[in-house]
Amino acid sequence: MASTAAGKQRIPKVAKVKNKAPAEVQITAEQLLREAKERELELLPPPPKQKITDSEELNDYKLKKRKGFEDNIRKNRTVISNWIKYAQWEESLKEVQRARSIYERALDVDHRNITLWLKYAEMEMKSRQVNHARNIWDRAITILPRVNQFWYKYTYMEEMLGNIAGCRQVFERWMEWEPEEQAWHSYINFELRYKEVDKARSIYENYILYKKLYLDTYMKNWIKYATFEEKHGYVARARKVFERAVEFFGEEQINESLYVAFARFEEKQKEFERVRVIYKYALDRIPKQQAQELFKNYTVFEKRFGDRRGIEDVIVSKRRFQYEEEVKASPHNYDAWFDYLRLVESDADADTVREVYERAIANIPPIQEKRHWRRYIYLWINYALYEELEVKDPERTRQVYQACLELIPHKKFTFAKIWLLYGQFEIRQKNLQNARRGLGTAIGKCPKNKLFKGYIELELQLREFDRCRKLYEKYLEFSPENCTTWIKFAELETILGDTDRGRAIFELAIGQPRLDMPEVLWKSYIDFEIEQEEYDNTRGLYKRLLQRTQHVKVWISYAQFELSIDSDDRMQRCRQTYEEANKGMQSCEEKEERLMLLESWRDFEDEFGSFANKERVCKLLPEKVKKRRKITAEDGSDAGWEEYYDYIFPEDAANQPNLKLLAMAKMWKKQQQEDEKEEGDDEEGEEGQQAPQEKEAQESSEPDEQGPAASREKPENEYDDRDEDDESSSSSSSSSDSERDGGGREDDKDKTEETKADTENH
């Protein structure tokens, strides 16, 4: 028990945290580290400075340091930095022999370490031990001949020592290893520093024939060789180098950079004919997509030293080559053909242009779908227009049109534009028979709306109205649901003065079972009758239309029509129309349309009606109510609630009980206010004494005022948010309904008298 108790005592009690909210000042790990650095908590004091006063202390110090270095080396022999630090420390004490011994020991560990060789050789050069340094460099380039840094340092040391022959010998040894390009140039620059031009030339000869590099780099070496000869005044030798390069590479490995350099060299020598020959020779042999720079330089050369014709030839030939490559790569790229043809038409003869057009139209789309033929068909159109307008060859133009029309698969699709262009071309050639034959063939093979419209417009311009009538008949047989065609046909007859024929056409049109725009057709028919001042026919049309549709715009248009007629009873007719519309739209579910009708009626009464008519229309206006309803998502889940505005019309039987109750509450409140006002006038002398009693009476009457309004039951998922103006309008409309209901008014009077009696007793 004692041990258990002792164990329990050893367990520390956990402190209960009462407030677990975050502290106002938050401390981050970054802040702790920054404060520790600022306060220098972890900085160790520097070791004490030791002053050496005699040789014994110095020897002890050296022994201690050497022992430390040796211990580090013994722990890890492969860490070369320990060896280098050890050797540099010995070097700082002028113990060169000891440092050399340390470097040699390090080389036994890792003889392929570049840094170790460089530090070793630098130590010998600092100590002015030239032979030792040469020995080290020889050993280094023998063991690691691909390390260019050893060769550069070795040659630099020999050149600084003035040992030119030894430096040249090192370079020769280096060149045997086939180094990179920069090594050869270093050797050449070394010889040029000592005016050894012949030796530099021999190095170039060995380099361009012996060294194998990538093609671009290899070609640059030839160019550098020629530039070297030109720089030193050997023009003939430089030209010979270029000619040898062209022969050496041949046509298989030809490159534009070589010809550009060759041409620039000849341009500097004022040999312009040679330059032009070089450019043309290169352009004939190099693929066009690889000769962009060559074209650019040739153009610049012609602009500087050539005539205008030469410049234009260069530009046109360059672009022509580009387009040729594009159309070869993608023969069905019709946009490239359009650009190519535009270039050829601007600077070529008719035969060349025809050849290009024939090549272009030979690339027929592989799929017989209209979307693939849309761009292709414009090649034929441009071809025909070129033959007609530029070459002025009507016979060949006719052949182009006929070939195009034979090529198009008319059973699957057609292009009305081609048929119409062909017909217009024949009209311009004064060959009316061919034009009509072609358009008639088009309508027979592949009738289209655009074809009919174009043909009818053509005959209208020729004033052939009988043909127009026949074409309209064919057009309506093809497309009887096209309302625009019916309207245009009737307008034509109206223009020709045959109104009965136009009316008959309209009657046929509205009798069609299917129309694409019936509202436009009816409006045109009504406007036609109004223009003819046949008002009875117009009313009949409106009534027939209203039998088909009860649209609010039709009623409003009907009323405005009645108002626009110059007659004595136009106001009465217009008002009667509005009344019929209101009755007819009481069953309409679209309350906005009904509201639109009433607003139009109100505007009419405001302008032309009496005060009683205005009041009557205002009582018909609805009350605007804000409601809520549930929203259901597509998957059937509940998506929340949304607010919307609804209109409550006084004449709606479904809303009559609610409106009646609301009107009664309004009237009760109004009656109470009037009674209170009368009592106040009778008891003016006793205002001070009766004020508390009146206040108590008002407070006691307030719950009764809220009673009728609070007794209204609202649906669970909607509520009313009525404005004050809307309430007044609804109350007035509801009061008129309550007047018509005798029982409701008697109840209202009884309730008002009872409330008044209670107030007086109180």
Side-chain angles (χ1 to χ4, degrees):
M1 292 292 290
S3 61
T4 307
K8 288 183 179 179
Q9 290 177 359
R10 289 193 196 98
I11 298 174
K13 293 183 179 180
V14 179
K16 293 183 179 180
V17 180
K18 295 181 179 180
N19 185 7
K20 296 184 179 181
E24 295 181 358
V25 180
Q26 296 291 320
I27 301 174
T28 62
E30 182 183 359
Q31 185 177 353
L32 292 173
L33 293 173
R34 184 170 61 252
E35 289 180 357
K37 181 172 180 60
E38 289 174 357
R39 297 177 185 178
E40 298 181 353
L41 298 176
E42 297 183 1
L43 293 179
L44 297 176
K49 294 183 179 180
Q50 183 180 4
K51 292 184 179 180
I52 299 174
T53 57
D54 55 3
S55 58
E56 290 183 2
E57 290 181 359
L58 178 60
N59 292 331
D60 291 340
Y61 169 72
K62 289 180 180 180
L63 180 63
K64 183 179 178 182
K65 290 289 287 183
R66 285 181 182 131
K67 188 175 184 303
F69 281 121
E70 291 292 343
D71 290 340
N72 289 335
I73 292 170
R74 194 180 306 109
K75 289 176 184 176
N76 196 345
R77 293 173 55 84
T78 58
V79 180
I80 301 301
S81 59
N82 292 335
W83 294 95
I84 294 174
K85 289 178 183 178
Y86 190 10
Q88 287 177 346
W89 181 78
E90 293 290 354
E91 182 185 359
S92 65
L93 298 177
K94 306 299 181 181
E95 297 285 348
V96 179
Q97 191 64 32
R98 283 181 174 275
R100 190 179 291 128
S101 174
I102 294 166
Y103 276 121
E104 291 293 339
R105 289 167 59 195
L107 288 174
D108 291 338
V109 175
D110 186 5
H111 64 278
R112 304 186 65 84
N113 191 293
I114 299 173
T115 307
L116 192 60
W117 287 103
L118 293 175
K119 295 292 184 182
Y120 191 8
E122 286 175 4
M123 185 201 72
E124 296 292 354
M125 288 190 289
K126 286 179 183 178
S127 303
R128 300 183 181 278
Q129 302 292 330
V130 177
N131 290 329
H132 279 283
R134 283 197 184 105
N135 184 18
I136 293 166
W137 289 126
D138 282 331
R139 291 165 59 193
I141 62 177
T142 303
I143 296 172
L144 301 171
R146 293 295 180 187
V147 181
N148 294 330
Q149 197 172 2
F150 293 160
W151 296 98
Y152 284 123
K153 294 256 184 199
Y154 193 7
T155 54
Y156 179 74
M157 185 190 75
E158 294 293 352
E159 188 174 0
M160 290 296 101
L161 293 173
N163 187 10
I164 308 302
C167 183
R168 186 176 290 114
Q169 186 178 2
V170 174
F171 269 119
E172 289 293 338
R173 289 175 60 189
W174 191 7
M175 296 305 108
E176 291 177 359
W177 287 98
E178 300 181 11
E180 61 183 11
E181 182 182 2
Q182 186 59 37
W184 291 90
H185 293 305
S186 299
Y187 190 12
I188 292 168
N189 293 332
F190 163 75
E191 297 292 354
L192 291 178
R193 282 197 293 270
Y194 297 99
K195 311 298 182 184
E196 297 289 346
V197 179
D198 293 335
K199 290 184 178 181
R201 185 180 294 116
S202 64
I203 296 169
Y204 266 119
E205 289 289 342
N206 293 332
Y207 181 37
I208 62 175
L209 296 177
Y210 182 71
K211 182 62 183 173
K212 303 295 182 184
L213 299 169
Y214 293 108
L215 181 62
D216 294 340
T217 307
Y218 197 20
M219 196 166 292
K220 288 178 182 177
N221 294 329
W222 285 88
I223 297 172
K224 288 179 181 179
Y225 185 15
T227 307
F228 160 76
E229 296 288 0
E230 180 188 2
K231 182 179 179 180
H232 290 85
Y234 300 100
V235 177
R237 286 179 176 273
R239 185 176 289 118
K240 187 67 175 176
V241 171
F242 277 119
E243 292 174 356
R244 286 172 57 194
V246 172
E247 294 176 1
F248 180 81
F249 290 105
E251 296 184 1
E252 295 179 356
Q253 298 179 344
I254 198 168
N255 194 303
E256 62 175 353
S257 60
L258 177 62
Y259 289 98
V260 170
F262 195 4
R264 287 177 179 173
F265 164 75
E266 295 292 354
E267 186 178 338
K268 290 178 183 178
Q269 309 306 322
K270 309 296 182 183
E271 296 286 347
F272 301 128
E273 289 301 324
R274 282 178 174 269
V275 176
R276 193 169 285 109
V277 170
I278 291 169
Y279 277 125
K280 290 182 178 179
Y281 177 85
L283 289 173
D284 292 340
R285 286 161 177 77
I286 298 178
K288 303 305 177 290
Q289 64 271 13
Q290 300 176 7
Q292 301 298 323
E293 190 68 23
L294 194 64
F295 269 118
K296 182 179 177 180
N297 285 276
Y298 188 21
T299 306
V300 172
F301 167 76
E302 289 292 349
K303 287 180 180 179
R304 291 178 61 189
F305 304 105
D307 54 0
R308 181 177 178 180
R309 184 62 185 172
I311 297 171
E312 291 178 356
D313 289 343
V314 171
I315 296 173
V316 171
S317 62
K318 177 182 177 181
R319 294 177 61 189
R320 185 179 297 172
F321 286 139
Q322 291 175 352
Y323 290 135
E324 283 288 346
E325 293 297 327
E326 286 186 23
V327 298
K328 284 181 182 177
S330 179
H332 290 94
N333 184 6
Y334 300 118
D335 292 330
W337 282 109
F338 287 132
D339 296 336
Y340 190 13
L341 288 165
R342 196 178 300 115
L343 172 68
V344 173
E345 287 179 13
S346 63
D347 189 67
D349 55 352
D351 294 335
T352 306
V353 177
R354 283 188 185 125
E355 181 186 353
V356 179
Y357 267 117
E358 292 294 336
R359 288 172 55 198
I361 62 178
N363 298 298
I364 303 171
I367 303 173
Q368 288 189 354
E369 293 182 9
K370 191 169 183 177
R371 61 190 180 90
H372 296 288
W373 285 64
R374 291 187 187 277
R375 298 293 292 164
Y376 170 72
I377 211 68
Y378 277 96
L379 289 173
W380 287 95
I381 294 173
N382 291 347
Y383 190 10
L385 293 176
Y386 173 77
E387 292 289 351
E388 181 184 0
L389 302 177
E390 300 294 335
V391 186
K392 301 188 184 303
D393 189 348
E395 188 60 35
R396 193 172 182 87
T397 305
R398 187 176 291 108
Q399 292 176 5
V400 172
Y401 276 121
Q402 290 174 356
C404 178
L405 292 172
E406 290 175 1
L407 182 66
I408 298 172
H410 299 291
K411 292 183 179 180
K412 294 185 177 181
F413 59 86
T414 189
F415 290 94
K417 192 178 189 69
I418 289 289
W419 291 103
L420 295 175
L421 286 173
Y422 180 39
Q424 293 166 4
F425 162 73
E426 293 292 356
I427 294 293
R428 287 193 294 270
Q429 301 302 319
K430 300 179 181 180
N431 196 343
L432 184 59
Q433 193 66 27
N434 283 351
R436 285 175 174 159
R437 186 185 299 115
L439 292 173
T441 305
I443 291 174
K445 278 187 176 181
C446 44
K448 287 184 67 177
N449 292 333
K450 192 174 181 180
L451 275 173
F452 279 108
K453 290 177 182 177
Y455 197 0
I456 291 169
E457 185 180 355
L458 177 64
E459 294 295 351
L460 280 175
Q461 292 174 356
L462 296 173
R463 300 296 186 267
E464 294 287 345
F465 300 116
D466 291 334
R467 287 183 177 272
C468 290
R469 286 191 178 103
K470 292 180 181 178
L471 287 172
Y472 270 121
E473 291 173 2
K474 293 286 186 183
Y475 193 2
L476 292 172
E477 289 177 5
F478 166 69
S479 178
E481 71 277 358
N482 193 337
C483 292
T484 307
T485 309
W486 289 102
I487 295 169
K488 292 289 184 184
F489 193 8
E491 287 178 357
L492 173 65
E493 297 296 346
T494 306
I495 292 170
L496 296 176
D498 196 346
T499 55
D500 293 335
R501 192 180 179 92
R503 187 176 290 109
I505 291 169
F506 274 121
E507 288 293 336
L508 284 173
I510 62 177
Q512 295 297 318
R514 188 180 65 178
L515 295 170
D516 55 357
M517 293 184 296
E519 65 280 359
V520 179
L521 180 63
W522 280 94
K523 186 178 183 304
S524 300
Y525 193 6
I526 292 170
D527 293 341
F528 165 77
E529 294 292 356
I530 293 173
E531 286 178 4
Q532 304 301 322
E533 297 182 357
E534 296 288 344
Y535 301 128
D536 293 334
N537 292 343
T538 307
R539 290 190 187 97
L541 281 176
Y542 271 116
K543 291 177 181 178
R544 289 165 63 188
L545 180 57
L546 288 170
Q547 290 175 0
R548 298 191 180 192
T549 177
Q550 288 286 325
H551 199 277
V552 64
K553 291 186 177 180
V554 179
W555 283 109
I556 294 173
S557 176
Y558 188 12
Q560 291 175 352
F561 159 71
E562 294 290 355
L563 185 62
S564 64
I565 298 174
D566 189 8
S567 62
D568 297 335
D569 59 343
R570 62 179 188 140
M571 300 295 179
Q572 187 63 26
R573 284 182 176 275
C574 182
R575 189 173 290 111
Q576 184 179 358
T577 304
Y578 275 120
E579 290 176 356
E580 291 177 1
N582 188 29
K583 290 179 182 178
M585 295 192 69
Q586 283 183 1
S587 60
C588 179
E589 295 182 358
E590 295 293 335
K591 297 183 179 181
E592 287 82 1
E593 294 184 0
R594 190 174 173 187
L595 176 63
M596 190 187 304
L597 176 68
L598 292 174
E599 289 176 349
S600 177
W601 190 3
R602 183 189 61 188
D603 296 339
F604 162 72
E605 296 294 351
D606 289 342
E607 186 175 357
F608 302 103
S610 62
F611 180 76
N613 290 330
K614 292 179 186 177
E615 288 294 326
R616 180 188 171 196
V617 175
C618 288
K619 289 179 181 180
L620 295 175
L621 290 172
E623 182 183 1
K624 187 177 181 182
V625 179
K626 185 189 290 184
K627 294 185 177 181
R628 289 196 310 170
R629 60 188 171 196
K630 283 187 176 182
I631 305 174
T632 305
E634 294 180 357
D635 56 354
S637 61
D638 188 6
W641 295 76
E642 71 170 355
E643 291 185 352
Y644 70 99
Y645 287 98
D646 194 11
Y647 297 96
I648 301 176
F649 290 86
E651 299 175 355
D652 290 348
N655 295 322
Q656 203 64 260
N658 292 340
L659 291 176
K660 187 175 179 180
L661 182 62
L662 181 62
M664 290 171 61
K666 291 283 185 181
M667 288 178 64
W668 174 78
K669 187 174 182 180
K670 186 177 179 182
Q671 185 68 30
Q672 186 182 8
Q673 291 176 356
E674 290 177 357
D675 294 341
E676 289 175 358
K677 188 176 181 181
E678 291 176 0
E679 289 176 4
D681 294 339
D682 295 340
E683 299 175 1
E684 276 182 354
E686 299 178 0
E687 262 182 29
Q689 298 176 1
Q690 295 294 332
Q693 295 179 1
E694 289 178 1
K695 186 175 181 181
E696 292 175 1
Q698 290 177 3
E699 290 175 353
S700 63
S701 63
E702 282 178 1
D704 296 331
E705 291 175 7
Q706 297 175 359
S711 64
R712 281 183 59 188
E713 292 182 4
K714 294 184 180 179
E716 184 181 353
N717 60 346
E718 63 180 34
Y719 70 93
D720 293 350
D721 187 7
R722 298 186 174 92
D723 299 335
E724 193 65 31
D725 296 338
D726 296 332
E727 289 179 0
S728 62
S729 63
S730 65
S731 65
S732 61
S733 61
S734 302
S735 64
S736 62
D737 294 337
S738 64
E739 288 174 2
R740 290 194 294 270
D741 191 356
R745 183 162 182 80
E746 290 176 0
D747 295 341
D748 184 38
K749 286 182 179 179
D750 296 338
K751 188 177 291 186
T752 306
E753 291 174 358
E754 289 175 5
T755 307
K756 184 177 179 181
D758 293 341
T759 306
E760 290 175 354
N761 294 331
H762 179 71

